[in-house]
Amino acid sequence: MSTTGEAYPIMFHPRSMPRPKVPAGLRVSRARTLLVSVAPLLSLGVLHTTGTVAAPAPPAQHPAGAGAHASVQPRETARVSAAVVGLDGGSRKPVLYGADTRYDTASIVKVDVLAALLLRAQDAGRPLSAQERALAEPMIRKSDNAAANALWRTIGRAPGLEAANKRLGLTSTQGGEGTRWGLTRTTASDQIRLLLSVFDDTAAAKARSPLNDASRTYIRTLMSRVASDQTWGVSSASGAAYELKNGWLQRTASGLWDVNSVGRITVDGHRYLVTVLSEGSTTMSDGVSLVERTARQAVSATAHA
């Protein structure tokens, strides 16, 4: 896709990679809520919490891979934030560690686009059309960008997304300019709010969510059936059960990678919503490793707090 200025980066699908096992001895004591902002090589500032999550080791430095922008600058320290919310009782309010700042969404915005599409259909008193389903399903399951392009136009691009997000309770998400849906900016706490609208089954949560039961079930179903080469990310902290959506893009100005993962996981019978956002990794592989380490550490800290 041709653009002017900083071109919207191509999102490369990773090859299938093994999911790291959950650390032995991980036991969930009780549902808690945790938001952690981790900056490698820097210690964490903690706000209103009883514990901390150790910063993951900085990603290994590798030469820029094939296809990286020719003007790649020396690598900067990667940045990552994570949010974990337990669904089996307890508060749904995140505990903040460090700044809850914005990141590029890359393809995790596709869950938000689908929610906006479903709200439009609900408002019209109809289910999704056959054509809308034919676009929504590959957009989530295969992270199909052409389908996302079409549905981004359908929902009214950034203004349509932001109107839907106001109803969904997202307060810090800004839609990407023009056709650049992957450059939507969001925070870890906003992504938790979106996931709560989809996955929180308490009566109070259902009453708050503008999504009806059919819409919520549809999003969950697609997130549970993502292509096998995309089952990395927050699922690395899970047992066998998870629903997720990942996003990744290489910024053309720096050659560095944004890598994100959001979803619901189950560990030892306990359900969690997990969001991990990152930027500044030298390679996509570094970004995936950073996201997975952070997800495992955040869930483990929540379980043992």
Side-chain angles (χ1 to χ4, degrees):
M1 177 168 55
S2 177
T3 61
T4 59
E6 181 176 6
Y8 180 73
I10 297 172
M11 298 181 189
F12 299 97
H13 288 231
R15 295 179 179 176
S16 181
M17 58 188 75
R19 290 172 44 243
K21 297 181 180 179
V22 177
L26 178 61
R27 294 294 183 269
V28 178
S29 58
R30 56 196 176 103
R32 293 290 301 270
T33 305
L34 173 68
L35 175 66
V36 53
S37 180
V38 184
L41 303 183
L42 297 177
S43 59
L44 297 176
V46 181
L47 301 179
H48 309 298
T49 183
T50 57
T52 62
V53 175
Q61 298 188 36
H62 300 292
H69 195 277
S71 62
V72 172
Q73 301 299 313
R75 176 184 174 277
E76 297 179 0
T77 301
R79 186 169 69 97
V80 61
S81 297
V84 180
V85 172
L87 290 177
D88 299 321
S91 171
R92 299 298 194 261
K93 183 178 180 180
V95 178
L96 300 180
Y97 291 71
D100 187 27
T101 54
R102 288 175 175 171
Y103 293 77
D104 298 329
T105 57
S107 281
I108 63 168
V109 77
K110 292 170 181 174
V111 176
D112 205 0
V113 170
L114 178 55
L117 180 71
L118 288 163
L119 287 177
R120 285 172 58 90
Q122 287 179 200
D123 291 345
R126 63 172 179 84
L128 294 185
S129 68
Q131 181 180 11
E132 288 169 336
R133 286 179 177 270
L135 294 169
E137 294 179 14
M139 179 178 72
I140 300 298
R141 296 188 63 239
K142 299 179 180 179
S143 206
D144 186 280
N145 290 337
N149 291 340
L151 293 180
W152 181 248
R153 293 191 297 270
T154 297
I155 68 168
R157 298 185 177 181
L161 185 77
E162 291 168 8
N165 284 344
K166 185 175 181 179
R167 297 168 64 182
L168 291 162
L170 280 64
T171 59
S172 301
T173 299
Q174 182 177 6
E177 181 180 356
T179 60
R180 299 178 180 182
W181 44 262
L183 297 185
T184 296
R185 300 281 286 173
T186 194
T187 63
S189 59
D190 251 16
Q191 290 302 300
I192 285 293
R193 293 183 185 101
L194 177 59
L195 293 177
L196 284 169
S197 291
V198 176
F199 289 104
D200 193 345
D201 283 330
T202 61
K206 286 185 175 183
R208 286 193 301 269
S209 176
L211 295 167
N212 63 28
D213 286 344
S215 294
R216 287 155 52 91
T217 298
Y218 185 62
I219 297 174
R220 295 181 190 188
T221 299
L222 296 187
M223 291 178 69
S224 72
R225 298 176 180 174
V226 297
S228 60
D229 64 340
Q230 295 178 33
T231 55
W232 47 269
V234 298
S235 59
S236 70
S238 180
Y242 54 84
E243 296 95 5
L244 60 77
K245 182 70 192 80
N246 297 325
W248 58 97
L249 65 83
Q250 186 179 30
R251 297 305 304 265
T252 55
S254 65
L256 300 177
W257 286 82
D258 298 331
V259 180
N260 306 319
S261 184
V262 301
R264 179 175 69 173
I265 67 172
T266 302
V267 182
D268 291 341
H270 294 265
R271 300 168 305 148
Y272 294 88
L273 301 180
V274 186
T275 297
V276 185
L277 308 178
S278 77
E279 65 180 21
S281 290
T282 305
T283 66
M284 180 176 170
S285 178
D286 284 345
V288 170
S289 295
L290 177 60
V291 164
E292 293 190 333
R293 287 197 306 275
T294 303
R296 292 193 298 272
Q297 290 178 358
V299 171
S300 179
T302 305
H304 292 95

